Amino acid sequence: MSTNLNPSAQLKHHGELLRVLLMREVHARTSGTVLGIFWMLLQPTLQVVALWFLLQVVLRVRFPELPGGFIQYFLVGMLPWLMLTEVLTRSLSVLQEYASIYERTPFPIGLIPLLPLMVSGVIYTTIYLVISLIFGGASGLIGGLIFMAFALLWLLPLIYLLAIIGLFVRDLQHIVPFILTMLLYLTPILYTPAAMPEALHWWLLANPFAHLISLAHVAVDGGIFPSTSLLGLIFLWFILLVPAWLLWKRAEPFIREAL
Amino acid sequence: MNKSALTLNSVGKTYRLYASGGARLSELLFGQARHDAFVALHDISLELKHGEVLGIIGRNGAGKSTLLKILAGTLIPTCGRVSVHGRVAALLELGSGFHPDLSGRDNVFLYGSVLGLSHAEIQSRFNEIVSFAGIEAFIDHPVKTYSSGMQVRLAFSVATSVDPEILIIDEALSVGDGAFARKSFDRIIQFRDSGKTIVFCSHSMYQVEAICDRVIWIDHGRLVLAGTPKEVCAAYNEHLAGAHDETSILTPEATSHVNATVSPRILGVTLGDGHTSGRSLAMQCGVSDLSVVVDFSVVEGLAPPCLIVALVGSNGEAVCSALSNQDDFNFIPSAESSKAQVRLVFPALPLLRGRYTVDVYLMCERGIHCYEQVLKAGEVVMDHDGLEQGVVRLPHYWSASEAN
């Protein structure tokens, strides 16, 4: 009776369930608003605008070495980061959020962690493709699409890990946003890697999110991404996939009992 | 009829109780046991053929709901094997399975999908589901705005509209208002008559006997007895009677409104012996007739209800009972009045010395669904001359013949 932790199998067998649940996600975010579904795109856009206003207008941050200017650099890195933080934060509480649906029905619980990934993925990929087209033309558009697909796939083991750990250790819901904020400051999104103090350059190598954001820049702006970084990200993905799969398999029979 | 719908082989369930979520996670990660165990089910084996109706009885906490959840696939057994052959629809704690923020319409599609229907299949049954639940006007409102009765009706309607091969029902038959409860009964009886497999858990022995082909009695997570409804219910009743508190007294509060809205209701019960009437009578064995007059309301559109009156001894065991439908007593309430009165007479009441209470049940016309029950509605204190022992003076005679 356990659920197959294989997203493609989940999608194939439970397409209708996912459709209804995704509609619920859209409805929950937009119900009672005048602009309705547009808010799903407008809200992250406004978030980016607010940050741009702070950095560009108030603090007057300038990076003359950036060929496309700071705004391009900022948007290409910030949008994937916003998606990533939204997905990871929601993963922590998603099993509790949907408890009423699966608690007393044979609902395939393995679908639930996919929901934040799918919803945020659709929203941010849409915005990202527009940005990629503007800054990178047709090649930027294709690069942006490939990057977002890679980023979403890369998040897969993390969302299952966080969903289970977040259900059992609810303190994480308070601490993870802080960790993500610190990670934002320690990842070259609001500044360039060169602006980081030399003593902290080891961190740029150790921080997988820094590699991920570098990949975003290469995908949209062009350039050569170091193959070691890409291999490192893929290696980390496999490293995370094993504990995620094992933990989910062990925990799934007890999820309903843990509510 | 000869293929297995459900098979349980040595199924057991042990709940793990943790001091904190961290302890649970630590055990999952490192494998070191950090839980207390509570065994809810021990080694249950049973086989249910297609078309059979199985009743599960037992006290609260006996393990009935755990067993139903395992059958429904919402709990995974700790040991043993469960085989289910056919589409299962489960009504476990009605109203659950809905997301409160979604509209009734979305929840129908969601619940239908969980039960294995495609979008097109749900669409084709949608109008029937909503119409059966009687919530057409609210179907696009969020479920969180529904009353519990509306949620119950919608959940029942979806679960029974998906054409399940196996229907699992946990205490669901006495929910909703009178009209809906009757409709739901009719649907369950239709399921039974059309050869569907039903697993039915109830505290009502009457319903279990009326509906089930086979009954199992579970106590402390163990299978105590399996057999025909008659023998298992009798053994269970005997067991309960042994545990009955003999000091219970007649209290006017002992009324249970099983369905509080839009149901026929008992308005009053009066006992009489031809000379006096009231809630408590002192009578002499075999001398006076005991009359039990029941006033009740009737609801337009519902068939006239059936009445059950039981005389219960001080040990809690029923001495005798009378069922109006079984006695072919039919009455047609006046079209103008919403009230009716029925009188039951026990001629020359032959009960021996002791205190007896009168329980009254107002049932649907089939005598299955209980609209309302009034336990200890009245009391009869019996006395008799002579030294006879027991509870009843049966008609008898003596004869003698010459011994060789």
Side-chain angles (χ1 to χ4, degrees):
Chain A
M1 290 185 199
S2 63
T3 311
N4 187 355
L5 186 65
N6 175 348
S8 62
Q10 301 280 5
L11 294 176
K12 191 177 171 190
H13 286 102
H14 306 293
E16 176 59 17
L17 268 182
L18 273 174
R19 189 193 68 78
V20 177
L21 288 174
L22 290 174
M23 276 176 53
R24 179 263 162 195
E25 283 277 332
V26 173
H27 180 78
R29 289 176 184 222
T30 58
S31 71
T33 61
V34 176
L35 294 180
I37 198 167
F38 291 109
W39 272 118
M40 296 187 74
L41 297 176
L42 208 53
Q43 202 223 357
T45 307
L46 290 176
Q47 219 175 330
V48 169
V49 167
L51 278 166
W52 168 80
F53 179 76
L54 173 72
L55 296 166
Q56 190 82 345
V57 179
V58 179
L59 300 177
R60 296 178 180 278
V61 176
R62 296 284 184 271
F63 291 99
E65 74 272 23
L66 292 171
F70 177 69
I71 188 68
Q72 177 178 340
Y73 177 82
F74 167 69
L75 286 176
V76 169
M78 193 65 196
L79 279 167
W81 180 262
L82 287 175
M83 177 186 79
L84 184 144
T85 51
E86 189 174 296
V87 170
L88 296 184
T89 310
R90 278 213 56 213
S91 295
L92 286 165
S93 58
V94 73
L95 285 174
Q96 288 150 263
E97 202 181 312
Y98 281 91
S100 62
I101 286 178
Y102 67 80
E103 196 178 357
R104 297 181 191 94
T105 62
F107 186 95
I109 303 177
L111 282 182
I112 290 173
L114 290 175
L115 293 170
L117 188 79
M118 294 177 75
V119 173
S120 303
V122 169
I123 295 168
Y124 283 94
T125 303
T126 308
I127 302 171
Y128 204 65
L129 291 184
V130 174
I131 296 294
S132 302
L133 184 67
I134 293 169
F135 293 132
S139 63
L141 180 72
I142 295 166
L145 186 64
I146 293 170
F147 167 73
M148 286 305 254
F150 177 83
L152 290 167
L153 196 65
W154 192 78
L155 286 173
L156 212 54
L158 275 175
I159 62 169
Y160 279 93
L161 269 176
L162 289 180
I164 282 293
I165 298 172
L167 177 70
F168 295 148
V169 186
R170 299 189 186 179
D171 308 56
L172 280 188
Q173 290 171 24
H174 301 284
I175 209 163
V176 164
F178 166 75
I179 294 171
L180 288 171
T181 305
M182 289 306 292
L183 274 172
L184 169 66
Y185 300 150
L186 291 168
T187 303
I189 295 170
L190 305 173
Y191 52 85
T192 61
M196 198 149 195
E198 202 160 326
L200 287 175
H201 275 195
W202 65 270
W203 171 250
L204 289 180
L205 291 174
N207 178 3
F209 297 105
H211 294 285
L212 197 66
I213 297 303
S214 298
L215 183 60
H217 285 294
V218 171
V220 178
D221 304 334
I224 299 163
F225 187 72
S227 56
T228 48
S229 292
L230 186 61
L231 288 173
L233 285 172
I234 294 170
F235 179 70
L236 183 62
W237 189 79
F238 278 111
I239 293 287
L240 287 171
L241 194 64
V242 174
W245 186 83
L246 278 176
L247 189 64
W248 182 268
K249 280 287 169 193
R250 283 188 186 180
E252 195 192 8
F254 305 105
I255 290 176
R256 289 184 175 92
E257 294 170 38
L259 294 170
Chain B
M1 277 293 284
N2 49 9
K3 279 190 179 175
S4 289
L6 289 167
T7 312
L8 272 71
N9 283 320
S10 301
V11 167
K13 178 68 189 174
T14 302
Y15 288 108
R16 297 178 178 188
L17 309 173
Y18 295 87
S20 66
R24 188 187 288 269
L25 183 64
S26 164
E27 183 176 313
L28 284 170
L29 288 173
F30 307 114
Q32 192 181 3
R34 295 188 58 183
H35 65 267
D36 294 325
F38 171 71
V39 184
L41 277 185
H42 298 262
D43 193 26
I44 302 279
S45 295
L46 66 93
E47 188 183 11
L48 191 61
K49 305 282 185 198
H50 277 290
E52 271 194 298
V53 182
L54 176 75
I56 303 177
I57 59 174
R59 295 174 198 238
N60 286 332
K64 305 186 298 292
S65 293
T66 298
L67 179 58
L68 289 189
K69 283 176 185 172
I70 287 173
L71 293 176
T74 63
L75 265 188
I76 295 173
T78 313
C79 58
R81 219 166 66 85
V82 181
S83 306
V84 179
H85 306 284
R87 178 188 284 164
V88 176
L91 294 160
L92 307 172
E93 299 166 56
L94 276 179
S96 55
F98 287 155
H99 196 289
D101 292 332
L102 284 175
S103 67
R105 181 185 298 274
D106 289 341
N107 268 303
V108 168
F109 280 91
L110 179 68
Y111 200 13
S113 308
V114 171
L115 295 172
L117 261 66
S118 68
H119 183 81
E121 285 174 312
I122 303 167
Q123 189 68 59
S124 68
R125 296 164 206 214
F126 184 79
N127 289 342
E128 187 212 325
I129 289 170
V130 178
S131 156
F132 187 84
I135 57 164
E136 292 92 334
F138 307 97
I139 196 64
D140 288 314
H141 292 212
V143 159
K144 65 186 173 193
T145 63
Y146 288 14
S147 69
S148 57
M150 288 160 76
Q151 291 190 32
V152 161
R153 277 151 41 197
L154 189 57
F156 183 90
S157 183
V158 179
T160 56
S161 297
V162 299
D163 197 22
E165 284 143 315
I166 302 163
L167 183 64
I168 296 172
I169 312 165
D170 187 2
E171 296 286 356
L173 296 187
S174 54
V175 293
D177 59 40
F180 185 77
R182 250 187 51 79
K183 263 192 352 182
S184 63
F185 259 108
D186 286 346
R187 184 164 275 193
I188 286 164
I189 298 296
Q190 274 173 22
F191 266 67
R192 186 189 65 174
D193 295 345
S194 63
K196 306 281 186 187
T197 308
I198 301 175
V199 181
F200 168 51
C201 167
S202 176
H203 284 291
S204 165
M205 294 305 102
Y206 190 84
Q207 287 181 344
V208 168
E209 280 203 55
I211 292 175
C212 302
D213 301 317
R214 204 145 62 87
V215 176
I216 60 171
W217 167 19
I218 293 178
D219 197 28
H220 292 100
R222 295 179 192 280
L223 184 63
V224 179
L225 188 64
T228 63
K230 199 172 270 187
E231 64 187 2
V232 179
C233 291
Y236 179 62
N237 278 332
E238 202 171 311
H239 170 77
L240 287 184
H244 184 78
D245 178 8
E246 294 191 8
T247 60
S248 60
I249 54 166
L250 185 70
T251 52
E253 290 80 22
T255 301
S256 167
H257 302 297
V258 176
N259 297 298
T261 56
V262 208
S263 296
R265 300 280 302 271
I266 296 173
L267 303 174
V269 179
T270 311
L271 309 185
D273 63 0
H275 306 289
T276 55
S277 61
R279 280 174 43 80
S280 186
L281 294 176
M283 293 175 66
Q284 197 69 16
C285 174
V287 174
S288 307
D289 297 349
L290 170 67
S291 66
V292 181
V293 179
V294 183
D295 290 283
F296 57 94
S297 62
V298 289
V299 173
E300 197 182 339
L302 285 183
C306 138
L307 276 158
I308 300 175
V309 175
L311 297 180
V312 181
S314 56
N315 61 357
E317 276 194 76
V319 176
C320 67
S321 61
L323 292 76
S324 64
N325 64 334
Q326 197 167 294
D327 294 337
D328 290 331
F329 172 75
N330 297 307
F331 70 99
I332 299 167
S334 139
E336 295 83 43
S337 175
S338 60
K339 293 177 184 173
Q341 186 180 78
V342 164
R343 175 188 299 266
L344 168 71
V345 178
F346 292 101
L349 188 68
L351 295 182
L352 294 175
R353 185 179 298 119
R355 286 177 180 271
Y356 301 87
T357 53
V358 179
D359 293 350
V360 179
Y361 301 83
L362 190 63
M363 313 288 287
C364 73
E365 81 282 7
R366 291 173 188 264
I368 299 174
H369 174 67
C370 181
Y371 293 130
E372 187 175 17
Q373 61 186 35
V374 183
L375 304 179
K376 297 175 185 164
E379 183 186 45
V380 184
V381 182
M382 297 299 299
D383 199 4
H384 67 273
D385 297 325
L387 299 172
E388 294 156 279
Q389 298 296 305
V391 291
V392 64
R393 179 181 286 161
L394 296 175
H396 60 277
Y397 64 89
W398 301 85
S399 64
S401 57
E402 289 283 329
N404 291 325

